[in-house]
Amino acid sequence: MTAVTLEDRFLFDLQGFLVLRDVLSPDECATLLDALRPLEAVDYPDEWMQSLPPGSSGRPTRETQIPHQTRLNGLPRLSDAFDYLIDHPRVLPYLREFVGEPQLINTWSISKDQGTPAGGWHRGIAPTDYSYRDEQIRSRMFNTVYFLTDNGPEDGCVVGIPGSHKNNIDLAWRDYKGLDMPGAAPATGRAGDVLLFSEAVIHDGLPKTTPGTRSNIYFNYVHAHYNVMMREPTNSHHFYFPEAIRARFTDQQRELTRWMELARWEY
Ligand SMILES: O=C(O)CCC(=O)C(=O)O
């Protein structure tokens, strides 16, 4: 397993994100895309939604409300093709170094065609959930973004504000569109690269103005002490995998999803 270097620690602490190059081979990207495309065409019944309290709404498995964009939630429920990303050997050392005791909370994909607009600026956790103490970097939530296709600056790539995992003064970020946000820096890369970022970093997705489809897979982790089921109770379905799915996981993948043994969810 690759060790996390002092330079990695320096850069991650400084900007809140890193890009690892060539984590997936071109063949691996092609195989993952081949698995993803047919899943993006399915109309999912989402029967679990009937169990939600009246008046509340959860995210469907397939989201297409943003023009030219398809998002799938809960990937291991849909296919085993993505399982090996749970503990990818190039990424796992960073999870251990920057999260401490990582647990997988959320998995999704986003494919964007030409014409997809900018998303909206957001963050998953507050800057108080990022710390450096006793020489340990800790990000309570941590995202790993696998680029299955190139993420150039016009391809709808992720954009972040370097250093915002430690920022003290907030703007009304939702009032800013894409690169109009002060300090915004596109996180670009080639197919096979992986963006790692603290969810305390304020981030967004840029518009896709180029032809073709940009597809990324997002595996998001939290520290084991984070209460996963309380985060977004109406979306726990996508976070949680029943034992029938975890049964196919390796011991290490089971360890990284162990919270699921302690959660109650019937679907
Ligand atoms: O890839 C993108 O468009 C941005 C994704 C993003 O910000 C998110 O999923 O939280």
Side-chain angles (χ1 to χ4, degrees), residues 69 71 108 110 112 116-117 119-120 122 143 145 151 156-159 197 199 203-206 214 216 218:
Q69 174 175 299
R71 173 175 167 140
W108 68 96
I110 299 180
K112 296 180 176 181
T116 304
H122 60 286
N143 211 337
V145 186
N151 274 237
C157 67
V158 180
V159 60
F197 70 93
E199 275 282 353
H203 62 279
D204 189 5
L206 288 178
R214 188 231 66 177
N216 290 346
Y218 306 74

PDB file of all heavy atoms in Angstrom, residues 69 71 108 110 112 116-117 119-120 122 143 145 151 156-159 197 199 203-206 214 216 218, ligand 1:
ATOM      1  N   GLN A  69     -28.210  15.817 -16.724  1.00  0.00           N
ATOM      2  CA  GLN A  69     -27.417  15.145 -15.686  1.00  0.00           C
ATOM      3  C   GLN A  69     -28.182  13.949 -15.129  1.00  0.00           C
ATOM      4  O   GLN A  69     -29.394  14.018 -14.923  1.00  0.00           O
ATOM      5  CB  GLN A  69     -27.106  16.128 -14.540  1.00  0.00           C
ATOM      6  CG  GLN A  69     -26.405  15.460 -13.359  1.00  0.00           C
ATOM      7  CD  GLN A  69     -25.978  16.446 -12.280  1.00  0.00           C
ATOM      8  OE1 GLN A  69     -25.191  17.343 -12.542  1.00  0.00           O
ATOM      9  NE2 GLN A  69     -26.485  16.256 -11.078  1.00  0.00           N
ATOM     10  N   ARG A  71     -27.912  11.264 -11.865  1.00  0.00           N
ATOM     11  CA  ARG A  71     -27.243  10.860 -10.630  1.00  0.00           C
ATOM     12  C   ARG A  71     -27.876   9.553 -10.162  1.00  0.00           C
ATOM     13  O   ARG A  71     -29.104   9.434 -10.142  1.00  0.00           O
ATOM     14  CB  ARG A  71     -27.401  11.946  -9.562  1.00  0.00           C
ATOM     15  CG  ARG A  71     -26.875  11.510  -8.199  1.00  0.00           C
ATOM     16  CD  ARG A  71     -26.926  12.645  -7.190  1.00  0.00           C
ATOM     17  NE  ARG A  71     -26.725  12.126  -5.841  1.00  0.00           N
ATOM     18  CZ  ARG A  71     -26.008  12.706  -4.894  1.00  0.00           C
ATOM     19  NH1 ARG A  71     -25.399  13.851  -5.130  1.00  0.00           N
ATOM     20  NH2 ARG A  71     -25.888  12.148  -3.699  1.00  0.00           N
ATOM     21  N   TRP A 108     -22.467   7.367  -4.794  1.00  0.00           N
ATOM     22  CA  TRP A 108     -23.307   7.839  -5.897  1.00  0.00           C
ATOM     23  C   TRP A 108     -22.458   8.050  -7.148  1.00  0.00           C
ATOM     24  O   TRP A 108     -21.217   8.026  -7.081  1.00  0.00           O
ATOM     25  CB  TRP A 108     -24.067   9.110  -5.509  1.00  0.00           C
ATOM     26  CG  TRP A 108     -23.286  10.373  -5.296  1.00  0.00           C
ATOM     27  CD1 TRP A 108     -23.076  11.365  -6.204  1.00  0.00           C
ATOM     28  CD2 TRP A 108     -22.628  10.799  -4.082  1.00  0.00           C
ATOM     29  NE1 TRP A 108     -22.334  12.387  -5.631  1.00  0.00           N
ATOM     30  CE2 TRP A 108     -22.055  12.061  -4.332  1.00  0.00           C
ATOM     31  CE3 TRP A 108     -22.465  10.237  -2.814  1.00  0.00           C
ATOM     32  CZ2 TRP A 108     -21.321  12.772  -3.365  1.00  0.00           C
ATOM     33  CZ3 TRP A 108     -21.741  10.938  -1.847  1.00  0.00           C
ATOM     34  CH2 TRP A 108     -21.181  12.189  -2.130  1.00  0.00           C
ATOM     35  N   ILE A 110     -22.347  10.613 -10.802  1.00  0.00           N
ATOM     36  CA  ILE A 110     -22.942  11.743 -11.527  1.00  0.00           C
ATOM     37  C   ILE A 110     -22.384  11.732 -12.950  1.00  0.00           C
ATOM     38  O   ILE A 110     -21.161  11.767 -13.137  1.00  0.00           O
ATOM     39  CB  ILE A 110     -22.648  13.103 -10.855  1.00  0.00           C
ATOM     40  CG1 ILE A 110     -23.218  13.151  -9.430  1.00  0.00           C
ATOM     41  CG2 ILE A 110     -23.228  14.242 -11.701  1.00  0.00           C
ATOM     42  CD1 ILE A 110     -22.967  14.469  -8.692  1.00  0.00           C
ATOM     43  N   LYS A 112     -22.703  13.799 -16.556  1.00  0.00           N
ATOM     44  CA  LYS A 112     -23.164  15.077 -17.111  1.00  0.00           C
ATOM     45  C   LYS A 112     -22.918  15.099 -18.605  1.00  0.00           C
ATOM     46  O   LYS A 112     -21.816  14.803 -19.054  1.00  0.00           O
ATOM     47  CB  LYS A 112     -22.352  16.237 -16.519  1.00  0.00           C
ATOM     48  CG  LYS A 112     -22.488  16.449 -15.044  1.00  0.00           C
ATOM     49  CD  LYS A 112     -21.613  17.646 -14.630  1.00  0.00           C
ATOM     50  CE  LYS A 112     -21.793  17.971 -13.169  1.00  0.00           C
ATOM     51  NZ  LYS A 112     -20.981  19.137 -12.770  1.00  0.00           N
ATOM     52  N   THR A 116     -25.221  20.650 -19.016  1.00  0.00           N
ATOM     53  CA  THR A 116     -25.501  20.576 -17.575  1.00  0.00           C
ATOM     54  C   THR A 116     -25.078  21.896 -16.934  1.00  0.00           C
ATOM     55  O   THR A 116     -23.947  22.352 -17.128  1.00  0.00           O
ATOM     56  CB  THR A 116     -24.709  19.414 -16.904  1.00  0.00           C
ATOM     57  OG1 THR A 116     -25.022  18.201 -17.574  1.00  0.00           O
ATOM     58  CG2 THR A 116     -25.055  19.297 -15.432  1.00  0.00           C
ATOM     59  N   PRO A 117     -25.980  22.520 -16.169  1.00  0.00           N
ATOM     60  CA  PRO A 117     -25.617  23.796 -15.525  1.00  0.00           C
ATOM     61  C   PRO A 117     -24.739  23.576 -14.285  1.00  0.00           C
ATOM     62  O   PRO A 117     -24.565  22.439 -13.831  1.00  0.00           O
ATOM     63  CB  PRO A 117     -26.984  24.361 -15.106  1.00  0.00           C
ATOM     64  CG  PRO A 117     -27.858  23.152 -14.945  1.00  0.00           C
ATOM     65  CD  PRO A 117     -27.357  22.101 -15.893  1.00  0.00           C
ATOM     66  N   GLY A 119     -23.926  23.425 -10.379  1.00  0.00           N
ATOM     67  CA  GLY A 119     -24.760  22.901  -9.285  1.00  0.00           C
ATOM     68  C   GLY A 119     -25.084  24.006  -8.297  1.00  0.00           C
ATOM     69  O   GLY A 119     -25.729  25.001  -8.656  1.00  0.00           O
ATOM     70  N   GLY A 120     -24.658  23.854  -7.082  1.00  0.00           N
ATOM     71  CA  GLY A 120     -24.838  24.872  -6.049  1.00  0.00           C
ATOM     72  C   GLY A 120     -23.727  24.670  -5.021  1.00  0.00           C
ATOM     73  O   GLY A 120     -23.375  23.522  -4.718  1.00  0.00           O
ATOM     74  N   HIS A 122     -21.854  24.119  -1.678  1.00  0.00           N
ATOM     75  CA  HIS A 122     -22.279  23.459  -0.444  1.00  0.00           C
ATOM     76  C   HIS A 122     -21.066  22.825   0.236  1.00  0.00           C
ATOM     77  O   HIS A 122     -19.983  22.749  -0.352  1.00  0.00           O
ATOM     78  CB  HIS A 122     -23.342  22.391  -0.736  1.00  0.00           C
ATOM     79  CG  HIS A 122     -22.874  21.305  -1.652  1.00  0.00           C
ATOM     80  ND1 HIS A 122     -22.703  21.479  -3.004  1.00  0.00           N
ATOM     81  CD2 HIS A 122     -22.515  20.018  -1.408  1.00  0.00           C
ATOM     82  CE1 HIS A 122     -22.273  20.354  -3.558  1.00  0.00           C
ATOM     83  NE2 HIS A 122     -22.142  19.452  -2.604  1.00  0.00           N
ATOM     84  N   ASN A 143     -14.584  12.784   1.104  1.00  0.00           N
ATOM     85  CA  ASN A 143     -15.111  12.287  -0.162  1.00  0.00           C
ATOM     86  C   ASN A 143     -13.983  11.812  -1.073  1.00  0.00           C
ATOM     87  O   ASN A 143     -12.910  12.418  -1.125  1.00  0.00           O
ATOM     88  CB  ASN A 143     -15.910  13.405  -0.858  1.00  0.00           C
ATOM     89  CG  ASN A 143     -17.040  12.852  -1.695  1.00  0.00           C
ATOM     90  OD1 ASN A 143     -17.017  11.704  -2.122  1.00  0.00           O
ATOM     91  ND2 ASN A 143     -18.043  13.682  -1.944  1.00  0.00           N
ATOM     92  N   VAL A 145     -13.473  10.857  -5.074  1.00  0.00           N
ATOM     93  CA  VAL A 145     -14.172  11.023  -6.358  1.00  0.00           C
ATOM     94  C   VAL A 145     -13.344  10.377  -7.464  1.00  0.00           C
ATOM     95  O   VAL A 145     -12.251  10.859  -7.799  1.00  0.00           O
ATOM     96  CB  VAL A 145     -14.396  12.521  -6.671  1.00  0.00           C
ATOM     97  CG1 VAL A 145     -15.256  12.674  -7.933  1.00  0.00           C
ATOM     98  CG2 VAL A 145     -15.028  13.242  -5.493  1.00  0.00           C
ATOM     99  N   ASN A 151     -11.916  15.076 -16.515  1.00  0.00           N
ATOM    100  CA  ASN A 151     -12.592  16.187 -15.823  1.00  0.00           C
ATOM    101  C   ASN A 151     -11.803  17.457 -16.123  1.00  0.00           C
ATOM    102  O   ASN A 151     -11.062  17.964 -15.283  1.00  0.00           O
ATOM    103  CB  ASN A 151     -12.621  15.947 -14.303  1.00  0.00           C
ATOM    104  CG  ASN A 151     -13.798  15.106 -13.815  1.00  0.00           C
ATOM    105  OD1 ASN A 151     -14.577  15.516 -12.972  1.00  0.00           O
ATOM    106  ND2 ASN A 151     -13.925  13.910 -14.360  1.00  0.00           N
ATOM    107  N   GLY A 156     -17.494  20.093 -16.602  1.00  0.00           N
ATOM    108  CA  GLY A 156     -18.385  19.950 -15.452  1.00  0.00           C
ATOM    109  C   GLY A 156     -17.667  19.389 -14.243  1.00  0.00           C
ATOM    110  O   GLY A 156     -18.266  18.671 -13.439  1.00  0.00           O
ATOM    111  N   CYS A 157     -16.383  19.722 -14.120  1.00  0.00           N
ATOM    112  CA  CYS A 157     -15.586  19.149 -13.023  1.00  0.00           C
ATOM    113  C   CYS A 157     -16.019  19.715 -11.670  1.00  0.00           C
ATOM    114  O   CYS A 157     -16.725  20.728 -11.585  1.00  0.00           O
ATOM    115  CB  CYS A 157     -14.099  19.428 -13.253  1.00  0.00           C
ATOM    116  SG  CYS A 157     -13.669  21.164 -13.131  1.00  0.00           S
ATOM    117  N   VAL A 158     -15.576  19.040 -10.615  1.00  0.00           N
ATOM    118  CA  VAL A 158     -15.787  19.558  -9.266  1.00  0.00           C
ATOM    119  C   VAL A 158     -14.948  20.821  -9.111  1.00  0.00           C
ATOM    120  O   VAL A 158     -13.860  20.936  -9.678  1.00  0.00           O
ATOM    121  CB  VAL A 158     -15.371  18.503  -8.208  1.00  0.00           C
ATOM    122  CG1 VAL A 158     -15.578  19.025  -6.792  1.00  0.00           C
ATOM    123  CG2 VAL A 158     -16.139  17.193  -8.413  1.00  0.00           C
ATOM    124  N   VAL A 159     -15.455  21.762  -8.358  1.00  0.00           N
ATOM    125  CA  VAL A 159     -14.728  23.003  -8.080  1.00  0.00           C
ATOM    126  C   VAL A 159     -14.796  23.221  -6.575  1.00  0.00           C
ATOM    127  O   VAL A 159     -15.798  22.898  -5.940  1.00  0.00           O
ATOM    128  CB  VAL A 159     -15.359  24.177  -8.888  1.00  0.00           C
ATOM    129  CG1 VAL A 159     -16.815  24.399  -8.543  1.00  0.00           C
ATOM    130  CG2 VAL A 159     -14.578  25.470  -8.723  1.00  0.00           C
ATOM    131  N   PHE A 197     -11.267  14.859  -0.934  1.00  0.00           N
ATOM    132  CA  PHE A 197     -11.442  16.152  -0.276  1.00  0.00           C
ATOM    133  C   PHE A 197     -12.204  16.042   1.024  1.00  0.00           C
ATOM    134  O   PHE A 197     -13.053  15.160   1.199  1.00  0.00           O
ATOM    135  CB  PHE A 197     -12.075  17.191  -1.224  1.00  0.00           C
ATOM    136  CG  PHE A 197     -13.515  17.000  -1.601  1.00  0.00           C
ATOM    137  CD1 PHE A 197     -14.529  17.613  -0.868  1.00  0.00           C
ATOM    138  CD2 PHE A 197     -13.877  16.248  -2.699  1.00  0.00           C
ATOM    139  CE1 PHE A 197     -15.867  17.469  -1.232  1.00  0.00           C
ATOM    140  CE2 PHE A 197     -15.205  16.094  -3.078  1.00  0.00           C
ATOM    141  CZ  PHE A 197     -16.198  16.722  -2.336  1.00  0.00           C
ATOM    142  N   GLU A 199     -15.027  17.051   3.381  1.00  0.00           N
ATOM    143  CA  GLU A 199     -16.367  17.598   3.099  1.00  0.00           C
ATOM    144  C   GLU A 199     -16.580  18.935   3.803  1.00  0.00           C
ATOM    145  O   GLU A 199     -17.633  19.548   3.655  1.00  0.00           O
ATOM    146  CB  GLU A 199     -17.448  16.587   3.474  1.00  0.00           C
ATOM    147  CG  GLU A 199     -17.744  15.570   2.394  1.00  0.00           C
ATOM    148  CD  GLU A 199     -18.612  16.093   1.249  1.00  0.00           C
ATOM    149  OE1 GLU A 199     -19.111  17.226   1.331  1.00  0.00           O
ATOM    150  OE2 GLU A 199     -18.780  15.349   0.264  1.00  0.00           O
ATOM    151  N   HIS A 203     -17.745  23.373  -1.915  1.00  0.00           N
ATOM    152  CA  HIS A 203     -17.520  22.864  -3.271  1.00  0.00           C
ATOM    153  C   HIS A 203     -18.795  22.879  -4.100  1.00  0.00           C
ATOM    154  O   HIS A 203     -19.883  23.108  -3.581  1.00  0.00           O
ATOM    155  CB  HIS A 203     -16.896  21.470  -3.224  1.00  0.00           C
ATOM    156  CG  HIS A 203     -17.773  20.447  -2.555  1.00  0.00           C
ATOM    157  ND1 HIS A 203     -17.861  20.312  -1.185  1.00  0.00           N
ATOM    158  CD2 HIS A 203     -18.606  19.510  -3.070  1.00  0.00           C
ATOM    159  CE1 HIS A 203     -18.705  19.338  -0.891  1.00  0.00           C
ATOM    160  NE2 HIS A 203     -19.179  18.834  -2.013  1.00  0.00           N
ATOM    161  N   ASP A 204     -18.627  22.583  -5.374  1.00  0.00           N
ATOM    162  CA  ASP A 204     -19.732  22.670  -6.327  1.00  0.00           C
ATOM    163  C   ASP A 204     -19.321  21.868  -7.566  1.00  0.00           C
ATOM    164  O   ASP A 204     -18.199  21.340  -7.629  1.00  0.00           O
ATOM    165  CB  ASP A 204     -19.956  24.162  -6.681  1.00  0.00           C
ATOM    166  CG  ASP A 204     -21.212  24.424  -7.482  1.00  0.00           C
ATOM    167  OD1 ASP A 204     -21.997  23.483  -7.705  1.00  0.00           O
ATOM    168  OD2 ASP A 204     -21.403  25.594  -7.902  1.00  0.00           O
ATOM    169  N   GLY A 205     -20.217  21.788  -8.551  1.00  0.00           N
ATOM    170  CA  GLY A 205     -19.878  21.212  -9.849  1.00  0.00           C
ATOM    171  C   GLY A 205     -20.023  22.305 -10.896  1.00  0.00           C
ATOM    172  O   GLY A 205     -21.002  23.061 -10.879  1.00  0.00           O
ATOM    173  N   LEU A 206     -19.067  22.394 -11.816  1.00  0.00           N
ATOM    174  CA  LEU A 206     -19.119  23.434 -12.858  1.00  0.00           C
ATOM    175  C   LEU A 206     -20.021  22.981 -14.016  1.00  0.00           C
ATOM    176  O   LEU A 206     -20.297  21.790 -14.162  1.00  0.00           O
ATOM    177  CB  LEU A 206     -17.705  23.725 -13.358  1.00  0.00           C
ATOM    178  CG  LEU A 206     -16.813  24.493 -12.382  1.00  0.00           C
ATOM    179  CD1 LEU A 206     -15.419  24.689 -12.978  1.00  0.00           C
ATOM    180  CD2 LEU A 206     -17.429  25.853 -12.022  1.00  0.00           C
ATOM    181  N   ARG A 214     -19.370  13.344 -18.997  1.00  0.00           N
ATOM    182  CA  ARG A 214     -18.426  13.254 -17.877  1.00  0.00           C
ATOM    183  C   ARG A 214     -19.062  12.401 -16.794  1.00  0.00           C
ATOM    184  O   ARG A 214     -20.166  12.708 -16.340  1.00  0.00           O
ATOM    185  CB  ARG A 214     -18.123  14.642 -17.324  1.00  0.00           C
ATOM    186  CG  ARG A 214     -16.995  14.632 -16.290  1.00  0.00           C
ATOM    187  CD  ARG A 214     -17.344  15.345 -14.997  1.00  0.00           C
ATOM    188  NE  ARG A 214     -18.404  14.703 -14.235  1.00  0.00           N
ATOM    189  CZ  ARG A 214     -18.812  15.136 -13.044  1.00  0.00           C
ATOM    190  NH1 ARG A 214     -18.269  16.201 -12.508  1.00  0.00           N
ATOM    191  NH2 ARG A 214     -19.786  14.498 -12.389  1.00  0.00           N
ATOM    192  N   ASN A 216     -18.402  10.527 -12.988  1.00  0.00           N
ATOM    193  CA  ASN A 216     -17.601  10.325 -11.780  1.00  0.00           C
ATOM    194  C   ASN A 216     -18.363   9.416 -10.816  1.00  0.00           C
ATOM    195  O   ASN A 216     -19.597   9.423 -10.791  1.00  0.00           O
ATOM    196  CB  ASN A 216     -17.363  11.643 -11.038  1.00  0.00           C
ATOM    197  CG  ASN A 216     -16.429  12.593 -11.771  1.00  0.00           C
ATOM    198  OD1 ASN A 216     -15.734  12.196 -12.707  1.00  0.00           O
ATOM    199  ND2 ASN A 216     -16.417  13.847 -11.341  1.00  0.00           N
ATOM    200  N   TYR A 218     -18.595   8.678  -6.629  1.00  0.00           N
ATOM    201  CA  TYR A 218     -18.299   9.325  -5.345  1.00  0.00           C
ATOM    202  C   TYR A 218     -18.512   8.304  -4.237  1.00  0.00           C
ATOM    203  O   TYR A 218     -19.629   7.773  -4.104  1.00  0.00           O
ATOM    204  CB  TYR A 218     -19.240  10.524  -5.116  1.00  0.00           C
ATOM    205  CG  TYR A 218     -19.219  11.517  -6.258  1.00  0.00           C
ATOM    206  CD1 TYR A 218     -19.852  11.221  -7.473  1.00  0.00           C
ATOM    207  CD2 TYR A 218     -18.554  12.727  -6.152  1.00  0.00           C
ATOM    208  CE1 TYR A 218     -19.813  12.099  -8.531  1.00  0.00           C
ATOM    209  CE2 TYR A 218     -18.513  13.623  -7.219  1.00  0.00           C
ATOM    210  CZ  TYR A 218     -19.145  13.286  -8.409  1.00  0.00           C
ATOM    211  OH  TYR A 218     -19.110  14.145  -9.476  1.00  0.00           O
TER     212      TYR A 218
HETATM  213  O1  LIG B   1     -19.336  16.524  -9.832  1.00  0.00           O
HETATM  214  C1  LIG B   1     -20.048  17.467  -9.521  1.00  0.00           C
HETATM  215  O2  LIG B   1     -20.787  18.022 -10.324  1.00  0.00           O
HETATM  216  C2  LIG B   1     -20.062  17.990  -8.112  1.00  0.00           C
HETATM  217  C3  LIG B   1     -20.562  16.964  -7.180  1.00  0.00           C
HETATM  218  C4  LIG B   1     -20.826  17.469  -5.810  1.00  0.00           C
HETATM  219  O3  LIG B   1     -20.557  18.576  -5.463  1.00  0.00           O
HETATM  220  C5  LIG B   1     -21.442  16.551  -4.886  1.00  0.00           C
HETATM  221  O4  LIG B   1     -21.876  15.472  -5.322  1.00  0.00           O
HETATM  222  O5  LIG B   1     -21.521  16.894  -3.676  1.00  0.00           O
END
